[in-house]
Amino acid sequence: MKAKLIFDLPEERHEWENALQGSKMRSTLWEYDQWLRSKIKYEDLNDEQYQVYQGCRDQLRTLLIENSLDIDS
């Protein structure tokens, strides 16, 4: 199977750039999620710090689910 994305440049330049950068964005979100995970799992955090990091990770995961984005595969 082959797929083609066709853009009318320069009118759709923004959409074209988003398509080109999609894998970088996914990788960046995955790295951020893993950084949060590492902080929660391995750092010696007080309760307030733990809640902040966990809240950030929960919110990231919620947004990914709401937007049907999978960064784990």
Side-chain angles (χ1 to χ4, degrees):
M1 177 196 303
K2 292 183 181 183
K4 289 184 181 182
L5 298 176
I6 299 172
F7 299 93
D8 291 322
L9 298 177
E11 296 84 13
E12 296 179 339
R13 184 171 184 80
H14 180 73
E15 292 82 358
W16 175 70
E17 288 178 357
N18 284 345
L20 291 177
Q21 294 182 16
S23 63
K24 289 181 187 178
M25 290 183 202
R26 180 183 174 273
S27 178
T28 300
L29 287 169
W30 184 85
E31 287 179 34
Y32 182 60
D33 180 63
Q34 293 304 302
W35 179 79
L36 289 168
R37 179 185 177 275
S38 178
K39 289 287 190 185
I40 293 164
K41 189 169 183 175
Y42 299 113
E43 300 261 334
D44 186 23
L45 304 173
N46 64 38
D47 188 51
E48 184 178 346
Q49 292 169 319
Y50 176 86
Q51 294 299 325
V52 169
Y53 284 115
Q54 187 62 56
C56 289
R57 190 168 190 225
D58 291 345
Q59 181 62 24
L60 174 61
R61 289 293 177 150
T62 297
L63 292 169
L64 291 169
I65 290 167
E66 287 175 358
N67 289 284
S68 302
L69 296 171
D70 180 10
I71 61 171
D72 292 321
S73 60

